[in-house]
Amino acid sequence: MAEGHEEETPLLDELEQGSWPSFVTEIKRMAERNEAARDLLGQLELSYKDKVTHWKHGGIVGVKGYGGGVIGRYSDCADRFPAVNAFHTFRVNQPAGWFYTTKALRELCDIWEKHGSGLTNFHGSTGDIILLGTTTENIQPCFDALTGDAGFDLGGSGSDLRTPSCCVGPARCEYSCIDTLDLCDDLTRTFQDELHRPRWPYKFKVKIAGCPNDCVASIARSDLPIIGTWRDSLRIDQGAVRQYVADGLDIKADVVDRCPTRALEWDGAKLDVRPEDCVRCMHCINRMPKAIQPGVQRGATVLIGGKAPIVKSALLSWVIVPFMPVTPPYTELKELMQKIWDWWDENAHTRERIGELIDRLGMKSFLNACGLKPTPQMVFRPRSNPYFF
């Protein structure tokens, strides 16, 4: 697209008509002063019209010393939209919990407007800051600026450890059972080599949730979910429970009857819990936060194998450690992670996630290799066919 020329974009214009903010509006704002954003609008319109993407296979691009962090993207209609001939994406490692100062955000945006399209995504589904669109020549200068005085680093891409991410944890959430922020930062710094140098069969994601509400959806979106929990009983303030009832809460219908394991009992004056039946679903806590709190013996449940459907179907994670103390320097957790990676690296096919490998070789092989003992939490349901072993 010639500089200063704007093509008609009737299909993209439709995406601005709803009640929600539109990415099209943001691209148009940037297109007023950036040629790459202007050509991006034209190519997107063409993609909607042709009903196919006009991005070619990414190829390999990167910065010195790193194998991941930059995703190559090239246009297949560069003759028509030359400013997006190369439109590479940076994944920038986000701070734990996505906390920023305004100074850091301004510096980041200034760097990106100088070296790229100015378009950002806060944040990608992996958790990283996504900087959308730069040329091959600008990759190294942009990286140097990011990692210099700005103090940022690249995240993961390709067959490596993807950028660990976590919920806001104890910074803003009263339910958090572990320090998600410190754990995420510690794991990121410890495993820098695995993050920056792709050498595994495929990608490996770690997401950390402070409590079983799992606000980062780790159980479905990560290979190694780490979910804060408690080992002892719920703490119940009976006076606060009675106040909820006095204020109109139908405690039997809304709380007791909705407990998935029937662990709660209400006699009209007192709410009791059977700790051995509680599965930490958080429903009663969410419904009566002033009356019920997590226990005091806190740690994390460690799971394995969550993923979206790519090679095989989507998987939810299996529990492998029902309760693990999680305190610095996190030695037990780190040693387990390295055992998992060793077994996966030794046995997986190319592009086979850890959950798919466990599905293929069996949980028994995985547990033996990692030195873990079977526990009841690993069983989905009791065996119903006596002739199947």
Side-chain angles (χ1 to χ4, degrees):
M1 188 189 301
E3 185 172 355
H5 174 68
E6 292 187 9
E7 291 199 359
E8 297 295 322
T9 56
L11 297 176
L12 290 180
D13 295 345
E14 280 296 312
L15 297 178
E16 296 183 276
Q17 302 307 310
S19 58
W20 300 100
S22 172
F23 74 96
V24 175
T25 302
E26 300 308 313
I27 297 176
K28 286 181 177 180
R29 287 176 59 193
M30 186 54 64
E32 294 175 2
R33 60 181 189 275
N34 185 283
E35 188 177 1
R38 200 154 50 241
D39 274 7
L40 177 63
L41 283 172
Q43 180 165 310
L44 278 174
E45 179 71 21
L46 186 63
S47 293
Y48 279 107
K49 179 181 178 182
D50 296 344
K51 298 182 180 179
V52 296
T53 181
H54 283 287
W55 298 112
K56 296 190 290 187
H57 185 271
I60 301 297
V61 293
V63 298
K64 294 177 182 178
Y66 284 49
V70 184
I71 299 127
R73 186 166 288 121
Y74 296 92
S75 170
D76 71 359
C77 46
D79 55 335
R80 184 170 174 182
F81 306 108
V84 292
N85 176 35
F87 198 75
H88 309 311
T89 292
F90 273 85
R91 282 183 178 161
V92 180
N93 197 328
Q94 80 283 355
W98 302 289
F99 284 97
Y100 301 90
T101 64
T102 54
K103 179 179 182 295
L105 287 174
R106 290 183 184 279
E107 192 166 10
L108 184 71
C109 291
D110 288 344
I111 291 170
W112 189 234
E113 287 199 14
K114 179 179 179 181
H115 297 286
S117 69
L119 297 170
T120 65
N121 177 2
F122 279 80
H123 297 83
S125 59
T126 301
D128 302 275
I129 307 161
I130 304 298
L131 305 181
L132 293 158
T134 191
T135 63
T136 304
E137 297 76 18
N138 279 345
I139 290 174
Q140 189 67 44
C142 184
F143 170 78
D144 293 341
L146 286 169
T147 57
D149 293 339
F152 286 92
D153 199 357
L154 296 192
S157 70
S159 298
D160 61 8
L161 174 64
R162 296 301 178 84
T163 314
S165 65
C166 66
C167 69
V168 297
R172 294 194 67 184
C173 181
E174 62 188 305
Y175 299 151
S176 187
C177 297
I178 57 176
D179 190 340
T180 57
L181 306 169
D182 185 69
L183 177 58
C184 184
D185 181 73
D186 191 288
L187 294 180
T188 302
R189 294 177 188 276
T190 299
F191 297 117
Q192 284 290 292
D193 281 355
E194 287 75 12
L195 190 64
H196 291 146
R197 293 169 179 82
R199 54 191 176 189
W200 286 341
Y202 204 19
K203 56 190 171 186
F204 193 97
K205 298 181 179 181
V206 177
K207 295 190 186 299
I208 305 164
C211 77
N213 276 326
D214 194 11
C215 292
V216 289
S218 65
I219 196 170
R221 300 171 56 239
S222 63
D223 301 270
L224 190 79
I226 302 167
I227 302 177
T229 187
W230 61 96
R231 200 171 195 171
D232 50 347
S233 180
L234 290 168
R235 292 177 291 160
I236 301 176
D237 182 336
Q238 300 296 341
V241 171
R242 289 189 288 271
Q243 186 61 52
Y244 273 106
V245 175
D247 291 340
L249 174 69
D250 187 340
I251 190 170
K252 186 176 186 308
D254 292 346
V255 181
V256 175
D257 290 350
R258 292 187 177 181
C259 176
T261 54
R262 298 294 187 263
L264 295 171
E265 290 183 357
W266 169 249
D267 64 4
K270 184 180 180 183
L271 182 68
D272 287 318
V273 59
R274 291 185 298 278
E276 66 274 15
D277 291 337
C278 177
V279 291
R280 283 75 170 154
C281 75
M282 297 291 290
H283 172 70
C284 61
I285 297 177
N286 293 334
R287 196 66 185 84
M288 298 192 295
K290 295 179 181 179
I292 306 178
Q293 292 181 314
V296 295
Q297 190 178 356
R298 301 184 179 189
T301 297
V302 182
L303 302 93
I304 195 75
K307 59 175 281 293
I310 302 179
V311 177
K312 292 185 69 175
S313 64
L315 294 174
L316 292 179
S317 302
W318 294 277
V319 171
I320 54 173
V321 182
F323 185 87
M324 177 186 290
V326 180
T327 54
Y330 312 112
T331 303
E332 183 180 358
L333 176 61
K334 292 174 184 175
E335 289 178 350
L336 176 60
M337 291 170 69
Q338 290 173 321
K339 289 177 182 177
I340 291 170
W341 293 335
D342 287 345
W343 180 76
W344 176 51
D345 199 26
E346 186 70 24
N347 294 280
H349 297 155
T350 301
R351 292 179 65 83
E352 185 174 42
R353 299 280 286 272
I354 183 72
E356 294 165 336
L357 177 60
I358 293 172
D359 188 52
R360 178 167 63 86
L361 296 186
M363 180 62 80
K364 180 180 178 180
S365 298
F366 169 76
L367 295 177
N368 286 337
C370 296
L372 295 171
K373 294 181 179 180
T375 69
Q377 288 88 344
M378 299 173 185
V379 179
F380 179 60
R381 63 167 65 93
R383 190 176 72 216
S384 58
N385 183 347
Y387 301 103
F388 175 79
F389 297 96

